[in-house]
């Protein structure tokens, strides 16, 4: 099942030059996936309240061009069949004025919140989504991210209470905000981002201070987010 989601952006979705923010792109894609779940009868909030939810583990997004202020924006999404007992990919396309400009893929794991471990995806559940065979990328794009041997800078951030979502975790898109605080000022202002890869190792579940470390490695901007115990929680790579 392919699901289309028309999005009417808000002024806060744009950079000063009128281009859509990278974090807003991911917000649109994520919300299109939620629309698919609701349309399939697998309601996100209902599942979470019942103790079982889909947890996002990975993002990979490639940008050909960013939509501009005033463009007609449409996101298209679909699920693929599970490739393990617990997880499956979901792909996305983003159109501006009917032209494909951004594509991405994600990986989701069904998770038992009460037991704190993955749950098996049943045939009945996945059939609700009517999975497609199409893959947005010809080659596998979700590859392992490594932690840099050293970092050039770091910042300490205290998560806000409002960063915690309905699953009791820092919401996955908030990690991008943390990363943007760590990258150099000139990089942030240039907004020359063409791809982003995120790997969520484990969720941040409280508002204790976190450490966000930055390094420039192999022509990519890498950010690692650590909790107050020194454990890496998320790795983000931006090009």
């Amino acid at each position: 099942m392919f699901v289309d989601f028309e999005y009417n952006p808000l002024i806060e979705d744009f950079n000063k030059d009128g281009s859509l923010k990278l974090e807003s792109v991911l917000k649109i894609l994520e919300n299109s996936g939620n629309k698919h779940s609701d349309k399939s009868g697998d309601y996100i909030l209902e599942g979470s309240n019942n103790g079982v939810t889909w947890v996002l583990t990975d993002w990979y997004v490639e940008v050909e061009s960013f939509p501009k202020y005033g463009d007609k924006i449409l996101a298209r999404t679909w699920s693929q069949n599970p490739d393990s007992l617990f997880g499956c990919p979901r792909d996305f396309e983003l159109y501006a004025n009917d032209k494909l400009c951004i594509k991405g893929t994600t990986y989701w794991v069904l998770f038992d919140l009460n037991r704190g471990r993955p749950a098996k995806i049943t045939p009945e559940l996945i059939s609700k989504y009517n999975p497609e065979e199409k893959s947005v990328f010809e080659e596998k794009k979700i590859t392992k991210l490594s932690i840099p041997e050293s970092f050039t800078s770091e910042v300490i951030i205290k998560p806000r209470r409002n960063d915690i979502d309905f699953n009791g975790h820092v919401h996955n898109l908030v990690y991008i905000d943390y990363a943007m605080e760590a990258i150099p000022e000139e990089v942030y202002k240039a907004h020359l981002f063409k791809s982003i890869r995120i790997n969520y190792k484990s969720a941040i579940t409280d508002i204790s201070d976190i450490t966000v470390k930055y390094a420039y490695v192999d022509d990519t901007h890498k950010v690692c987010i650590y909790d107050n115990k020194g454990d890496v929680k998320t790795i983000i790579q931006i090009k």
Side-chain angles (χ1 to χ4, degrees):
M1 181 197 302
F2 295 99
V3 175
D4 288 352
F5 172 57
E6 292 186 11
Y7 182 74
N8 295 313
L10 306 174
I11 190 64
E12 59 262 31
D13 289 321
F14 295 95
N15 295 305
K16 188 176 181 180
D17 65 358
S19 62
L20 197 68
K21 291 181 178 179
L22 180 61
E23 47 267 52
S24 294
V25 168
L26 270 63
K27 178 179 72 173
I28 295 169
L29 301 184
E30 179 186 60
N31 284 327
S32 71
N34 291 340
K35 290 290 184 182
H36 187 184
S37 292
D38 289 346
K39 189 173 183 178
S40 301
D42 182 25
Y43 302 103
I44 300 298
L45 286 176
E46 182 179 299
S48 177
N49 289 332
N50 290 332
V52 178
T53 190
W54 290 100
V55 173
L56 178 63
T57 64
D58 294 272
W59 276 103
Y60 183 84
V61 173
E62 285 188 355
V63 178
E64 177 65 28
S65 62
F66 283 99
K68 293 288 189 177
Y69 184 77
D71 286 349
K72 176 185 175 182
I73 297 175
L74 181 140
R76 178 167 296 149
T77 186
W78 62 95
S79 292
Q80 296 183 42
N81 278 302
D83 58 4
S84 75
L85 291 174
F86 311 109
C88 63
R90 170 183 287 281
D91 284 4
F92 302 91
E93 294 173 337
L94 190 70
Y95 294 81
N97 299 328
D98 300 320
K99 180 181 179 181
L100 178 62
C101 58
I102 297 170
K103 54 188 179 180
T105 188
T106 51
Y107 197 80
W108 297 81
V109 171
L110 194 64
F111 199 79
D112 188 320
L113 294 171
N114 297 321
R115 296 185 177 185
R117 64 188 187 189
K120 288 185 179 180
I121 302 172
T122 64
E124 293 77 16
L125 175 58
I126 199 63
S127 67
K128 292 182 178 181
Y129 287 88
N130 294 323
E132 301 288 345
E133 296 298 325
K134 178 181 177 180
S135 178
V136 76
F137 296 116
E138 292 183 3
E139 299 178 1
K140 185 176 177 65
K141 291 293 185 178
I142 294 185
T143 56
K144 184 177 180 180
L145 288 178
S146 60
I147 300 173
E149 294 182 0
S150 61
F151 297 91
T152 55
S153 62
E154 65 179 56
V155 295
I156 305 297
I157 294 177
K158 182 175 180 58
R160 303 167 301 173
R161 287 180 290 182
N162 201 44
D163 292 344
I164 305 295
D165 66 13
F166 57 89
N167 283 325
H169 305 156
V170 168
H171 189 65
N172 72 82
L173 298 184
V174 176
Y175 293 87
I176 305 172
D177 294 336
Y178 298 160
M180 292 299 175
E181 291 300 313
I183 65 175
E185 183 72 10
E186 63 274 15
V187 175
Y188 177 77
K189 285 185 175 180
H191 299 302
L192 297 177
F193 310 127
K194 287 299 181 181
S195 73
I196 183 168
R197 169 80 176 89
I198 307 176
N199 173 224
Y200 303 98
K201 296 289 189 183
S202 60
I204 296 173
T205 58
D206 59 41
I207 56 173
S208 300
D209 287 355
I210 59 173
T211 302
V212 186
K213 299 184 180 183
Y214 168 83
Y216 187 68
V217 183
D218 297 329
D219 295 325
T220 65
H221 306 281
K222 271 196 172 180
V223 174
C224 293
I225 299 174
Y226 295 82
D227 65 12
N228 61 351
K229 298 178 181 178
D231 296 326
V232 63
K233 311 297 281 187
T234 300
I235 305 174
I236 300 176
Q237 177 176 283
I238 305 172
K239 294 183 180 180

